[in-house]
Structure formats: structure tokens, C-alpha cells
Amino acid sequence: MQPWLISVVLVTILTMTLLFLLSFDSLEYQEFGLNCNYLSESVEKEPYSAGRYYLGIANSFIKFPRTVKSISFIEDWTEGRQGPALQSRTKDGLTVHLEVSFQYQLKFDQLYTLWSTLGEDYEKTFVRMAIEQLSTSTTHHNAHFFFRNRTFVSMEMHRKLDGHFRQHAFAEVPFFQLRTVHLPDAFEDAIRETQVQEQHIQIARLEQETKKVTFATEVLKAKQAVQKLQNEADGEAEAILKKNDAYCEQYKLTQQLQVDGLESVVAKTSWGDSELLNYLSIRAVREHPSSNTMISL
């Protein structure tokens, strides 16, 4: 065999081996991928998960992150972050600055749709979508609502952002953080003063309720004291009444016995009225204390 032919065969073998080796591509555990053919400029619709695959000559993966990625809008932003705090207006026209961050995750079964719609530089579109959705959300509530219902506002923003990303960004937003809400200083000062005054009002109401309870207790104690006096008076009156009734019964009995005795005396002595009266007079004088008796002669 001619030397030149041997050289051609060796070069061919090496070339084929190199092309065969270059036809493999791999995806790390934290990556998804789409098979792209750079000669035909076509992309397979079926996505690939982590692993090493034989793709063919001039094929390689367009890689996407499998893990959660973060986008932040904060005041002290640096290169690599997506931007400064968002500025918008509330429903009543006040300027509001929002520091927010959220985490998105691409949907495996929609990778081709994501690539064909937004391209490989999809995150820039995500940032614009987030700015538009979050800025719009601030216009639904007034400044006072923002100040008092931050948790509700955060949940509402998360819900709307996640819904928009699922529908238009072929991704989901599992986590959302509303870090700070900056309203105009004059408004925040007025709100703080309002809260102080509300606290004073609340304290005054509590003191008023305490005094009401105290006074109600005193009234109840006075009613109980009156009831006690009334019960004692009723008892004393009943005792006096019973005592009087007993005395009257005793007196009536005594008088009846005296009448019976006098009738017996009259029956045995044949006294008349004048003799009986004289007897009673003598008896009355006899039974009267001598120290209290005065006789006129």
C-alpha cells in the first residue's frame, strides 16, 4: 500500500473518531437542554435532562438551568443583579419605591416553547415582565393600604407574578419577597403620628373600660349593701311584729283570766257594780309602787 494512501486512511480514521467524540454532549445535574444542530440550524422540541448523550455530528445542547434562579430589585444593587428598587405610584398618586426579589424556575416540558419564543437571553424578558407586573400591582392600592397591609400586598404581587410567568414566560415563581416599601417621608411621618394617636386613643378606651368596670363593681357593692340593710330591716320589722303579736296575745289572755276571776268573785259575793269598782281601785293602789303613789286626803 502506498504511503500516501496509508496517511489518508489514518487521517480519515482520526477525523471520524474526532467527529464521533464531538457528537457527544453532556448535561450536569442542575441543567436541562435542547439538542441543536448548527448545520441545519434546527432544534429538537423534546428536552433532555441530566446525563451524557450522543447527539450527532455538529449537534450540541442549548443549556438551561434546572435550579431556582433569583432576580432582585434593591437600592444597593451591583453588577450581576437586575436593577435598583422599582419606582411606581399608588392608587392615590403617591410615589412608592419597592425593594423586591423573587425566584423563578423553568418548566422542563416547555423549554422548546421558551427558546422559540424568548430565545436564549430570556432572563432580560423576565426582568421586563417583572417590572411591568410589579409596577402595575402598586396602582391597585392606596398608600395607606400599603402601610397597613404589607403581607397582603406581598401575597397579591406573588400571585399575579406567578400567574403571568406561568402563562407568558413558561416558568413559575415559587418564592417572592417584598423587602421594603418606601413611601414619601411626609406620608410616613403622618402615618406614624396617626399610629401614636391611635395608641393614645386605645389606652384611653382601655382606661375608660377599666373605670366602667370599677364603677359597676361599686354600684353592685352598693346594691348589695342596700339589699343587706333591707333584709336586716325586714327581719327586724318581722321580729317586732311577732313580738307585738305575742304580747297582745299574752295581754288578751291575762285580761280574759282577770275577767273570769272577777266574774267568779262577783258570783260568790253578790257584789254590785259599786263594790266591784271599789275593789278594783283598792287593788290598783295596792299593786302600784309605793314610791310612785300619791294619795289625797
Side-chain angles (χ1 to χ4, degrees), residues 60-77:
S60 64
F61 281 123
I62 301 174
K63 298 180 180 181
F64 299 87
R66 179 181 181 180
T67 56
V68 172
K69 304 290 288 184
S70 182
I71 295 178
S72 301
F73 301 95
I74 58 177
E75 289 290 354
D76 55 346
W77 71 289

Side-chain angles (χ1 to χ4, degrees), residues 186-235:
F187 177 81
E188 292 190 352
D189 292 341
I191 288 294
R192 279 191 289 270
E193 180 63 24
T194 299
Q195 288 183 329
V196 170
Q197 295 303 322
E198 287 180 349
Q199 289 177 354
H200 290 166
I201 293 173
Q202 185 66 20
I203 291 173
R205 286 177 177 172
L206 292 176
E207 291 178 349
Q208 184 182 39
E209 291 299 323
T210 301
K211 290 182 178 180
K212 284 182 178 180
V213 172
T214 301
F215 293 150
T217 303
E218 293 298 326
V219 170
L220 181 61
K221 289 169 62 178
K223 287 182 177 179
Q224 291 177 343
V226 170
Q227 185 64 39
K228 179 181 178 182
L229 292 174
Q230 183 66 43
N231 292 337
E232 291 177 350
D234 291 343

Side-chain angles (χ1 to χ4, degrees), residues 134-145:
L134 297 175
S135 298
T136 302
S137 295
T138 62
T139 62
H140 296 161
H141 305 290
N142 57 39
H144 194 269
F145 190 88

Side-chain angles (χ1 to χ4, degrees), residues 275-294:
E275 288 82 6
L276 181 61
L277 289 176
N278 289 331
Y279 171 74
L280 291 176
S281 297
I282 294 171
R283 183 177 175 179
V285 172
R286 183 189 65 188
E287 293 178 354
H288 193 72
S290 61
S291 58
N292 298 331
T293 304
M294 181 179 293

Side-chain angles (χ1 to χ4, degrees), residues 77-117:
W77 71 289
T78 57
E79 194 65 30
R81 295 187 180 274
Q82 284 66 36
L86 300 178
Q87 179 176 334
S88 184
R89 288 190 177 276
T90 61
K91 187 176 182 179
D92 47 0
L94 293 180
T95 302
V96 60
H97 294 265
L98 303 176
E99 288 188 307
V100 301
S101 61
F102 65 91
Q103 290 71 45
Y104 70 87
Q105 188 171 29
L106 304 180
K107 291 188 174 182
F108 177 75
D109 59 346
Q110 297 185 13
L111 284 182
Y112 180 79
T113 307
L114 170 68
W115 175 83
S116 62
T117 304

Side-chain angles (χ1 to χ4, degrees), residues 19 22-23 35-42 55-60:
L19 290 175
L22 292 176
S23 297
N35 182 12
C36 176
N37 187 298
Y38 292 97
L39 294 179
S40 63
E41 296 184 349
S42 61
L55 301 180
I57 298 175
N59 285 44
S60 64

